[in-house]
Amino acid sequence: MKNIILIAPPGAGKGTISNYLVEHYGYVHVATGDLLRCEIKTNSPLGQEIEEIISKGHLVPDDMVIQLVWKKLEQIHNKPFILDGFPRTLEQAKVLEIMLQNLHFNCMIVYLDVDVKTVLKRIEGRKICNQCQKVYNIYSEELKPIQEGLCDNCGGVLVKRSDDDKEKMKVRFQIFEENITSILDFYRSQNELQVIPASTSSIRDIVNKIINEAKF
Ligand SMILES: [Zn+2]
């Protein structure tokens, strides 16, 4: 299986798709958000620095994120990985490319093409179990609970997630769109890009398309 760099706007279902690839195809999920949170927990000097930056509401500088991604990728042995949450800018894409070459990793770039209308609708339908945190979506045949309002796993009550705010999501989507064209142009010039139309596809279809491309 090829390594995957997964690029998608917020709310496109990256988390669900990554989980599927981890559970069924042996991928390691490398999410930069998780790496940052983990480093803060270890209370290392770098972790302390990152915590201070985030608490001020600033963005964590590229070199710090790259350092964490590098450390993580060095620990992965003979397992394919999905990189999620990075790169978000052209600069980051260029730095990442150099790092991957140095580590001798070949990657396929997967871009999930989703429009803002679809994302906002998904956000509207998204519910999370207040007990086990399982994520549902009442507008998706694959992700809606068997019994309305209740978790299939544990019977917990399904509630809205606190960060699922439509206005905030619009802003995050806009920031994403400002950077995405140059990132995609960069990868297109290197012939590594797979664009997957994801607005109308089910998660199952998207995963199948990714796996088909990743097999060779
Ligand atoms: Zn539950």
Side-chain angles (χ1 to χ4, degrees):
M1 288 296 191
K2 283 183 196 163
N3 299 307
I4 295 170
I5 297 173
L6 188 57
I7 302 174
K14 258 188 323 190
T16 313
I17 289 161
S18 298
N19 286 344
Y20 203 93
L21 293 171
V22 169
E23 278 174 29
H24 297 270
Y25 296 95
Y27 274 90
V28 178
H29 187 206
V30 181
T32 46
D34 294 345
L35 294 181
L36 291 171
R37 275 187 290 275
C38 274
E39 192 65 28
I40 291 171
K41 266 194 202 152
T42 65
N43 215 20
S44 67
L46 178 63
Q48 289 174 7
E49 214 176 323
I50 291 170
E51 189 170 28
E52 205 185 315
I53 292 166
I54 292 177
S55 71
K56 285 180 186 157
H58 297 162
L59 282 176
V60 180
D62 292 353
D63 59 325
M64 286 186 189
V65 182
I66 277 285
Q67 206 177 319
L68 293 177
V69 173
W70 185 301
K71 206 166 81 180
K72 180 73 185 178
L73 293 188
E74 277 187 326
Q75 293 164 358
I76 296 172
H77 300 294
N78 301 320
K79 271 191 161 188
F81 63 82
I82 314 160
L83 183 58
D84 165 6
F86 199 86
R88 288 180 198 268
T89 64
L90 177 60
E91 278 314 303
Q92 290 179 350
K94 287 178 177 169
V95 178
L96 178 66
E97 189 71 14
I98 294 166
M99 182 187 81
L100 292 172
Q101 276 171 14
N102 284 331
L103 289 168
H104 305 291
F105 280 125
N106 281 322
C107 290
M108 169 174 107
I109 321 297
V110 174
Y111 172 57
L112 302 180
D113 192 8
V114 186
D115 58 65
V116 69
K117 244 177 69 189
T118 307
V119 165
L120 292 180
K121 172 129 199 224
R122 281 195 196 149
I123 294 298
E124 216 179 88
R126 188 146 68 181
K127 297 273 164 76
I128 183 166
C129 171
N130 70 352
Q131 302 288 330
C132 72
Q133 320 301 317
K134 187 172 154 79
V135 178
Y136 293 87
N137 200 309
I138 54 169
Y139 295 135
S140 157
E141 285 307 315
E142 294 165 288
L143 295 175
K144 71 181 183 196
I146 296 167
Q147 207 182 339
E148 201 185 314
L150 295 177
C151 175
D152 300 347
N153 278 353
C154 70
V157 176
L158 304 187
V159 294
K160 273 215 102 49
R161 227 165 60 163
S162 57
D163 60 344
D164 282 352
D165 178 295
K166 266 185 144 182
E167 288 312 309
K168 274 188 208 151
M169 187 53 86
K170 271 189 201 163
V171 174
R172 284 174 61 199
F173 200 94
Q174 241 165 23
I175 294 170
F176 176 85
E177 290 222 298
E178 282 164 19
N179 290 301
I180 193 60
T181 315
S182 56
I183 295 176
L184 295 185
D185 285 345
F186 172 72
Y187 285 127
R188 217 172 260 130
S189 70
Q190 316 208 348
N191 295 320
E192 295 165 345
L193 184 66
Q194 300 288 339
V195 177
I196 298 190
S199 283
T200 51
S201 309
S202 68
I203 286 158
R204 190 74 229 209
D205 284 346
I206 295 171
V207 168
N208 285 343
K209 277 181 197 155
I210 294 175
I211 289 302
N212 268 338
E213 296 294 339
K215 270 194 289 206
F216 305 106

